[in-house]
Amino acid sequence: MLIALQGAVSQGVLWGIMVLGVFITFRLLDIPDMTCDGSFALGGCVCAVLIVNNNVDPLLAVLAGMCAGAIAGAVTGILTTVFEIPAILAGILTQISLWSINLRIMGSKANVAINPDNYTLLVSLRNVKKIIPQNPILVVAVFTVVVIALLYWFFGTELGSSIRATGANPNMSRAQGINVDFNKVLGLMISNGLVALASALYCQYQGFADVNAGRGAIVIGLAAVIIGEVVFSRIFRNFALKLLSVALGAVIYYIVIQFVLTAGLNTNDLKLITALVVAIFLAIPYWKGKYFHATVKTKKEGR
């Protein structure tokens, strides 16, 4: 059980970076972005091909994968702002097109294997049980802290604040002279860049890139955001801590899934279990608010 939990935590930390990207579009920009299912696979495909076929340094391959994800986000942003296609539809169009693009990147292969014996990878599944600096939990935790620090700094700048204002009230932002369309494109680029960054690290962690890797990524991302907000909303109020809370939400999500699977449920029901976990955490704020309101009302009437 302890070994299984180590694996769940390592996956949760890896997906935590992806969740930060989802948080930017879902909460800051208020855009339902479906691109991440495609950009998650894209980052891993680019990273794996560069390492295996071109012998590129794993760190540079990760950065290249992140840039590829940012480009995918820019495409969705342009479809939304220039061609005025609804954001959710623009994301779906980009996601669908990325399927073919990912196959072309991998040479029409469904997956590309990375042998950890041949490369000095940043993270590897074989190091999960070892108490060493190369343990993926420690390595990705460092990546996550650095990403949160950079996001906290950036969204505190004038440009970052204008992106947050765009998501909060685009009409008022436009009236204040803010370039709303540019901010949407930039926000989508940052979001999908982070999604692809997580994917590039994840493909090194598991030892292969798969064209289907991003399927259902948006569901996991939204689930982790909701879980993080529900669990830590009363504790973490600072913006940096809110970013940390959604990253921790991914860890909690994978621990919950691991406990459910350990209980002996069929792995074929994983998607159903995921949907139930998301539904439960989505319902918690409603029931908590309803119960709290009813309790306060009862106390007032008692007076």
Side-chain angles (χ1 to χ4, degrees):
M1 184 62 186
L2 181 60
I3 294 174
L5 282 177
Q6 285 178 315
V9 171
S10 62
Q11 283 201 68
V13 174
L14 278 162
W15 281 79
I17 298 176
M18 179 266 184
V19 174
L20 291 171
V22 174
F23 177 80
I24 290 172
T25 52
F26 183 57
R27 285 302 188 213
L28 299 188
L29 282 177
D30 195 24
I31 293 176
D33 182 31
M34 301 296 292
T35 314
C36 65
D37 278 23
S39 57
F40 188 85
L42 175 65
C45 292
V46 170
C47 180
V49 168
L50 287 176
I51 292 174
V52 175
N53 296 347
N54 300 280
N55 202 29
V56 175
D57 181 81
L59 178 58
L60 294 178
V62 166
L63 296 177
M66 181 177 68
C67 292
I71 293 171
V75 172
T76 299
I78 291 171
L79 290 175
T80 302
T81 57
V82 177
F83 297 99
E84 297 187 357
I85 298 174
I88 189 168
L89 181 56
I92 292 173
L93 292 174
T94 307
Q95 176 198 133
I96 292 172
S97 63
L98 283 174
W99 169 267
S100 298
I101 292 172
N102 291 336
L103 283 175
R104 283 186 172 273
I105 290 172
M106 295 196 297
S108 299
K109 298 177 182 178
N111 56 70
V112 172
I114 307 174
N115 189 341
D117 293 327
N118 299 335
Y119 309 98
T120 307
L121 302 179
L122 297 176
V123 288
S124 177
L125 178 61
R126 62 173 56 183
N127 294 327
V128 170
K129 304 174 187 178
K130 302 176 183 177
I131 306 177
I132 56 175
Q134 291 79 19
N135 187 298
I137 298 175
L138 298 177
V139 174
V140 181
V142 172
F143 267 92
T144 304
V145 170
V146 171
V147 168
I148 289 175
L150 289 174
L151 289 176
Y152 180 68
W153 166 80
F154 173 74
F155 283 107
T157 64
E158 183 177 350
L159 178 58
S161 297
S162 69
I163 292 176
R164 296 171 69 178
T166 297
N169 193 327
N171 292 329
M172 181 61 72
S173 299
R174 192 176 287 108
Q176 295 297 319
I178 295 174
N179 190 335
V180 171
D181 290 344
F182 172 79
N183 285 344
K184 287 181 179 180
V185 174
L186 181 58
L188 285 164
M189 289 180 67
I190 295 172
S191 170
N192 285 280
L194 291 176
V195 171
L197 169 62
S199 173
L201 290 170
Y202 190 62
C203 84
Q204 293 189 33
Y205 169 80
Q206 63 183 359
F208 66 93
D210 193 326
V211 73
N212 295 310
R215 185 170 295 175
I218 184 64
V219 176
I220 297 174
L222 293 176
V225 169
I226 298 300
I227 291 170
E229 291 177 342
V230 168
V231 175
F232 300 106
S233 60
R234 293 184 178 274
I235 306 171
F236 295 167
R237 299 185 179 275
N238 177 274
F239 181 67
L241 294 178
K242 286 183 178 180
L243 293 173
L244 177 61
S245 70
V246 298
L248 291 175
V251 178
I252 296 172
Y253 169 83
Y254 271 99
I255 290 175
V256 170
I257 294 297
Q258 186 58 55
F259 272 114
V260 171
L261 293 178
T262 305
L265 294 181
N266 194 327
T267 54
N268 292 332
D269 297 329
L270 183 59
K271 294 295 183 182
L272 174 62
I273 295 167
T274 299
L276 290 174
V277 170
V278 174
I280 290 169
F281 276 96
L282 282 171
I284 286 175
Y286 168 75
W287 288 108
K288 186 168 63 174
K290 185 176 181 180
Y291 173 77
F292 179 77
H293 178 74
T295 303
V296 172
K297 185 177 180 180
T298 302
K299 289 182 178 179
K300 287 183 177 180
E301 290 176 350
R303 291 179 183 177

